[in-house]
Amino acid sequence: MGIRRYIIALCAFPHVAQAQVFSCLGNDPNWSLEISEDAATFAYLDRQSDLGIPQKSAAEGRDWPLAMTLVGPRDSAIVILHDRICEGQTHEAQVLTQRGETPILLTGCCTRAD
C-alpha cells in the first residue's frame, strides 16, 4: 500500500490507527497472542511466530469489531476482536489460522494494554 493510501486509511479509521496493544489468551487448546501497533507474536501448540500486521479495519460504519490480518514467513492469521467482556477481560477474540492444510478457529479473551 502506498504511503498516500495508508494515510487516507488512517484518517478514515482513526480508532484503528491509534496504537493499540492487546494481550490475548485462549484455552482448550492453549494459545497466546501479543499485538502491538505493527507486529504480533502468536504462540500455538509447539510453535511461536512473529507476524506483521499489514491490515487493520473496523466493521463498516462502526468502531467494533476490529479485524487484523497477521502475516509471517511460516504462519498467518486473521484476528477479530469484539468490544465485549470475556471472562473478566475487556475483549473477546477469534483467531482464524491453520496448521498445514488444516484450518483452525481459536477463541479466547484479550486485555487492552495501551
Side-chain angles (χ1 to χ4, degrees):
M1 177 183 297
I3 189 70
R4 185 174 190 179
R5 290 180 67 193
Y6 183 72
I7 291 170
I8 291 169
L10 292 180
C11 293
F13 299 105
H15 55 282
V16 176
Q18 296 171 1
Q20 295 185 1
V21 179
F22 294 93
S23 180
C24 307
L25 296 171
N27 296 310
D28 293 324
N30 293 334
W31 61 272
S32 66
L33 176 64
E34 298 293 325
I35 303 170
S36 69
E37 183 176 350
D38 59 358
T41 301
F42 178 54
Y44 175 62
L45 296 177
D46 60 348
R47 188 157 75 196
Q48 180 171 313
S49 299
D50 294 323
L51 307 166
I53 307 174
Q55 183 274 332
K56 297 179 187 180
S57 61
E60 192 68 31
R62 301 186 180 267
D63 290 341
W64 295 94
L66 297 178
M68 297 176 215
T69 303
L70 311 178
V71 179
R74 295 185 338 187
D75 292 311
S76 63
I78 295 172
V79 179
I80 300 172
L81 299 175
H82 299 273
D83 190 26
R84 56 185 173 229
I85 300 298
C86 175
E87 298 179 13
Q89 296 186 41
T90 56
H91 300 282
E92 180 182 315
Q94 286 86 39
V95 178
L96 293 89
T97 189
Q98 78 288 328
R99 282 297 176 259
E101 295 180 8
T102 304
I104 299 168
L105 173 60
L106 303 169
T107 62
C109 303
C110 303
T111 300
R112 188 171 168 171
D114 55 351

